[in-house]
Amino acid sequence: MATLFLTGATGYIGGSVALRLAEAGHRVRGLVRSAEAAAFLESRGMEPVLGSLDDTALLSGEARRSDGVVHTASADHAPSVHALIAGLAGSSKPLIHTSGASVVGDDARGQAPSGPVFDEDTPLAVDPRKQARRDIDLCVLAAATQGVRSAVICPSLVYGVGHGLKRDSVQIPFLVANARAQGRVEVVGQGLNVWSNVHLDDLVALYLLVLDQAPPGAFYFAENGEASFGDLGAAIATRLGRPGVVSLDPVVAAERWGVPRAYFSLGSNSRVRAVRARRELGWAPRHRSVTDWVLGEMPAPEDACS
């Protein structure tokens, strides 16, 4: 039984990974910021570690004492990554860092894809506004030269119900909440932009494979299918009993939702293929259609047909 330190232990991805690791027999120590989160972990047989990503000495110490680290709390917090690497340096222990496929997102603002589909062997086209995230990825990969069995998992749009304290992902639940508030499903621009996607359960399975098998300095995309936001919006409208999909001017979307959400999270194209995980780790995701999940499995709000 390994002792694993996990950040984001009550988050959407991290909480689901933590529970799966505990079920597999590992001792999980999870970073939490509140008494509520600590109680949740304890109720599920895990050990809470009170602190934050800014507690770099704490992070280094936990990493040093662990048999490995899974970092899911933030793709954009460089000090915590440096602290975890420092704690693991020279140990040959695993460090899994969670990135996100918006790192290859374009500035399409709802327009159809015109660029490449990326895999792990493709040079990545990174918008300057996302370069800081890519730099963190590269820092983690470079930790392989410091005696760390480091790996980066880069999920695409993640869907499915979380198994931890946080049940919802980012993109689809936001569109659903906005539809409930506005009485209509809204997408950025024409909604022709396409994102690759991956079901949470398949993503969790990938974390366990990477933890057990990944070589030092490995980068993995996580995807199993893709859909346009127009198609996602249409599925959400059907599920909620709303009349169709409304195109929202990208500038208006940015004013209402903020530039990062409107332009990168909901308005960009981000098309990737998880070639390496399938080839190298034997990853075999089972869920392929995010629209089928929305139509048939996504929890519908109580007022869906109101």
Side-chain angles (χ1 to χ4, degrees), residues 26-40:
H26 296 295
R27 177 189 177 198
V28 177
R29 291 176 58 79
L31 184 70
V32 295
R33 292 181 293 179
S34 70
E36 176 194 14
F40 179 84

Side-chain angles (χ1 to χ4, degrees), residues 4-296:
L4 302 171
F5 178 58
L6 196 144
T7 70
T10 55
Y12 173 66
I13 294 175
S16 299
V17 172
L19 283 174
R20 184 66 188 88
L21 290 172
E23 289 169 357
H26 296 295
R27 177 189 177 198
V28 177
R29 291 176 58 79
L31 184 70
V32 295
R33 292 181 293 179
S34 70
E36 176 194 14
F40 179 84
L41 287 191
E42 288 179 330
S43 72
R44 281 153 179 79
M46 293 176 277
E47 302 171 25
V49 178
L50 285 171
S52 75
L53 292 182
D54 294 319
D55 296 327
T56 54
L58 172 69
L59 297 182
S60 291
E62 287 292 332
R64 190 175 300 111
R65 289 186 291 272
S66 74
D67 296 311
V69 175
V70 181
H71 184 38
T72 70
S74 174
D76 302 305
H77 192 276
S80 60
V81 168
H82 293 303
L84 293 170
I85 291 172
L88 293 171
S91 69
S92 299
K93 296 174 184 176
L95 166 63
I96 302 176
H97 171 71
T98 308
S99 184
S102 66
V103 74
V104 295
D106 59 17
D107 195 7
R109 305 188 188 191
Q111 295 300 311
S114 60
V117 179
F118 300 97
D119 63 34
E120 294 88 353
D121 297 322
T122 309
L124 303 188
V126 180
D127 186 286
R129 289 168 288 186
K130 284 293 179 178
Q131 187 60 49
R133 172 175 292 186
R134 182 56 179 164
D135 289 343
I136 291 173
D137 293 348
L138 295 174
C139 178
V140 173
L141 299 179
T145 66
Q146 302 177 48
V148 180
R149 186 163 66 84
S150 59
V152 173
I153 296 177
C154 191
S156 50
L157 182 151
V158 188
Y159 64 97
V161 178
H163 302 295
L165 189 61
K166 183 173 173 56
R167 308 279 285 174
D168 290 337
S169 59
V170 176
Q171 288 149 302
I172 292 176
F174 177 83
L175 292 174
V176 170
N178 184 72
R180 295 178 66 194
Q182 301 298 323
R184 60 187 193 178
V185 178
E186 297 175 327
V187 298
V188 177
Q190 298 181 52
L192 300 175
N193 56 304
V194 173
W195 266 64
S196 300
N197 50 70
V198 64
H199 192 283
L200 177 63
D201 291 347
D202 290 327
L203 178 60
V204 170
L206 178 58
Y207 274 86
L208 269 68
L209 287 171
V210 171
L211 184 66
D212 288 341
Q213 302 179 31
F219 179 88
Y220 301 99
F221 283 120
E223 63 75 36
N224 195 40
E226 64 178 22
S228 73
F229 272 82
D231 288 343
L232 274 174
I236 291 169
T238 299
R239 180 67 168 159
L240 300 186
R242 298 293 191 256
V245 179
V246 174
S247 173
L248 193 63
D249 184 278
V251 174
V252 174
E255 291 172 349
R256 280 177 42 188
W257 303 338
V259 167
R261 173 170 280 151
Y263 291 170
F264 281 107
S265 183
L266 302 177
S268 65
N269 293 285
S270 178
R271 304 179 70 204
V272 301
R273 296 292 181 267
V275 174
R276 184 173 183 179
R278 290 177 169 89
R279 179 186 67 220
E280 189 171 270
L281 306 176
W283 183 55
R286 297 184 299 106
H287 304 82
R288 184 151 193 97
S289 175
V290 63
T291 52
D292 284 354
W293 178 83
V294 169
L295 291 168

